[in-house]
Amino acid sequence: DHPIDVHTYPNAKAKVYPGLIRSDTSKVTGASLQCEFPERINAEVAKWIAKSARSPNPLVVSNDEQGPNWLGVGIDSLDPAHDSFRRNALWGTLMAGGAGVEFYFGWGFRRHQTGNKDPIIGNDDTDTSHPYSTCSDLTCEDFRSRDKLFTQAFVAWRFMKDNHIPFWEMTSSNHLTEQKDDFVFAKKGDIYLVYTFANATRVEFSVVGNIAYSIHYWNPKTGGDLIDGGVVMADLIGGEISRRMSIPIPQTSRIGSSDVLMVVRKANWRSGGPTSTRKIVNGAGV
């Protein structure tokens, strides 16, 4: 009854996974991806979900072990914000449709801190000048050393649960936006999540037209309430199926973070309909 995942080296995915997803007799149920560079996690997870979905043996895809392998996730005292891992590992995986993340504590912290190659992994509890020494993936006994990142993972889980996000019906849809660093996760015509962290003042992306959408903003770093951005009507022009929306991003001081998760949802998804709307004309909200 337990899932069986296969984990590989970063450069071995193309050798290992195709045979597993093509097999209709394999007992393997998941692919646990190791990615050498966190910035590639979203694309890698989306890639193998798409390949798997078209195969006889679809796999549950997750992210496991973020590179570089000697570093991994830093401890809270040295990286309290964990911006890269929140954006690329946690939300990069979720916005690709991934099942979850295992945060990896790198093995070479002593080398990273001091340049010394002996020992590579420090085990000296008396060496207080290098706090990484006893917090590697082989030596760590206190997971509270990364408590701030685990808290952000809990915030992400609560967001999905409390806002009834139908993630099992959504797919990675980064192609809908022109901003190369943004993540888009969508059930087209129903709900779009857009994760942006480039300090943009506006986000532009395509939606199914002739639908009224509610706009909300949310802080993925600390959570909290959704910030209401009103309702917009994506009018059709010339029989087009989709419309490009240009949505303003509130100032960082209002969101509380330079990272913003936009929730663009069919306005009457609960009951009733919108009471007032702005039109999307030539791609801009007016």
Side-chain angles (χ1 to χ4, degrees):
D1 294 334
H2 295 284
I4 301 174
D5 283 16
V6 170
H7 177 72
T8 73
Y9 289 114
N11 60 357
K13 300 183 188 76
K15 298 178 181 179
V16 174
Y17 294 130
L20 295 175
I21 64 178
R22 286 196 297 263
S23 172
D24 56 5
T25 60
S26 173
K27 294 183 179 180
V28 172
T29 58
S32 185
L33 306 184
Q34 178 178 349
C35 296
E36 186 174 5
F37 301 102
E39 294 80 8
R40 297 180 183 175
I41 291 173
N42 177 265
E44 283 287 305
V45 173
K47 170 184 173 180
W48 287 104
I49 287 176
K51 284 180 175 290
S52 171
R54 299 190 296 266
S55 73
N57 183 33
L59 301 178
V60 175
V61 181
S62 58
N63 170 238
D64 170 11
E65 191 163 339
Q66 305 83 25
N69 57 19
W70 53 269
L71 181 57
V73 176
I75 59 177
D76 288 347
S77 61
L78 296 181
D79 184 15
H82 297 290
D83 287 335
S84 177
F85 285 90
R86 177 186 63 259
R87 295 165 180 168
N88 296 302
L90 176 58
W91 282 97
T93 298
L94 296 177
M95 296 287 282
V101 181
E102 178 203 54
F103 294 125
Y104 167 72
F105 307 164
W107 54 261
F109 289 134
R110 176 61 64 84
R111 177 184 291 181
H112 172 60
Q113 287 292 99
T114 68
N116 295 333
K117 295 184 179 181
D118 186 23
I120 293 176
I121 303 168
N123 291 293
D124 183 3
D125 289 330
T126 65
D127 186 358
T128 59
S129 62
H130 302 294
Y132 271 148
S133 61
T134 56
C135 289
S136 76
D137 68 328
L138 300 182
T139 62
C140 187
E141 295 291 342
D142 185 2
F143 279 70
R144 289 171 296 184
S145 60
R146 278 83 168 180
D147 177 72
K148 293 183 183 299
L149 184 56
F150 288 119
T151 297
Q152 293 182 48
F154 175 74
V155 164
W157 174 80
R158 283 297 302 266
F159 167 82
M160 295 289 186
K161 178 178 181 291
D162 292 351
N163 292 285
H164 309 284
I165 305 300
F167 56 86
W168 59 93
E169 298 178 336
M170 301 169 71
T171 58
S172 175
S173 303
N174 294 356
H175 64 281
L176 296 179
T177 181
E178 294 181 356
Q179 291 84 234
K180 65 178 182 178
D181 293 326
D182 289 355
F183 303 141
V184 181
F185 192 40
K187 178 183 178 182
K188 295 178 182 178
D190 186 82
I191 182 171
Y192 303 79
L193 300 183
V194 183
Y195 192 110
T196 183
F197 50 88
N199 291 311
T201 58
R202 305 187 75 85
V203 166
E204 296 188 6
F205 65 104
S206 297
V207 298
V208 175
N210 201 31
I211 295 175
Y213 293 97
S214 64
I215 311 296
H216 289 88
Y217 309 96
W218 185 73
N219 180 344
K221 186 174 182 178
T222 60
D225 295 332
L226 295 173
I227 297 175
D228 189 359
V231 177
V232 297
M233 182 67 193
D235 281 350
L236 291 180
I237 298 177
E240 295 178 353
I241 296 175
S242 65
R243 293 297 301 142
R244 178 161 292 278
M245 302 179 77
S246 180
I247 306 299
I249 300 294
Q251 293 182 346
T252 298
S253 59
R254 185 181 176 199
I255 298 294
S257 169
S258 59
D259 290 24
V260 179
L261 183 70
M262 293 178 54
V263 184
V264 180
R265 197 163 205 166
K266 195 173 182 179
N268 60 350
W269 73 275
R270 286 192 178 90
S271 62
T275 56
S276 62
T277 64
R278 292 176 292 150
K279 287 187 177 181
I280 297 296
V281 179
N282 294 328
V286 296

